[in-house]
Amino acid sequence: MEQLAVVAFDLVAIGVLAFAIYFPRNRRRDLAVAFVGINVGVLAVSMVLGTSTIGAGLGLGLFGVLSIIRLRSSEIEQSEIAYYFASLAIGLISGLASGITWLSAALITLVVATLAIIDTPALFRRYREQTIVLDRAYTDETAMRAHIERMLGARVHVAFVRNLDLVSDTTTVHVRYSLDRTVPAPRTAQVELRTRAPR
């Protein structure tokens, strides 16, 4: 009965994380399913390991092996990697616990609540980053930053030039910026790429 309660608590926790927190904010069904699958798999393995003599040491080793696997199937954001680690952590905490204890329940709740808070759209909602292709080869960084700020209606904090092509007269730049509070939410790269810089 205790193991069934642990499994039920784990499924509730990962269900809230994947389908009540992650999916409504990011709308990626594939990753939501992956979070649940990884969690259940780790839960099953760690429960088996927890009943053997090799126990927690191998379980933590499993966590280390899984944490260094490079996710090659598709590009994911850094925030989505946090969900992967949270799924692993919830599965391990549940599987290695002998039952639902105050500590395990508190730790799982902490993991879920932390992601619910720090991944909220209201947090740093005016900060953005994206890669922009400008239709002019900028050799003057100050002029380039000024042009981007006018184009985006935002304050540029960091601008990395990724490619400067003097032949095709283009500049590829990765920009981190914050929106001006007086400017409405931006139209993204579709508008930016159509905007021509003055020559």
Side-chain angles (χ1 to χ4, degrees), residues 4-19 36-37 39-41 43 90-91 94 108:
L4 289 178
V6 168
V7 171
F9 187 75
D10 175 84
L11 291 177
V12 169
I14 193 61
V16 170
L17 183 70
F19 299 113
V36 175
N39 170 267
V40 173
L43 171 67
I90 292 172
S94 299
I108 292 173

Side-chain angles (χ1 to χ4, degrees), residues 155-176:
R155 179 185 176 187
V156 173
H157 299 285
V158 179
F160 296 106
V161 175
R162 295 288 177 85
N163 184 49
L164 180 62
D165 193 333
L166 298 175
V167 176
S168 62
D169 197 22
T170 60
T171 305
T172 303
V173 57
H174 187 79
V175 185
R176 296 173 187 162

Side-chain angles (χ1 to χ4, degrees), residues 30-58:
D30 57 334
L31 286 183
V33 172
F35 299 148
V36 175
I38 287 175
N39 170 267
V40 173
V42 170
L43 171 67
V45 172
S46 58
M47 288 183 76
V48 171
L49 293 176
T51 60
S52 67
T53 56
I54 44 183
L58 187 57

Side-chain angles (χ1 to χ4, degrees), residues 16-17 21 25 107-119:
V16 170
L17 183 70
I21 298 174
R25 297 175 181 179
L107 289 174
I108 292 173
T109 303
L110 176 64
V111 171
V112 175
T114 298
L115 279 174
I117 294 170
I118 64 174
D119 194 39

Side-chain angles (χ1 to χ4, degrees), residues 171-184:
T171 305
T172 303
V173 57
H174 187 79
V175 185
R176 296 173 187 162
Y177 59 95
S178 58
L179 302 178
D180 188 332
R181 295 185 180 277
T182 62
V183 177

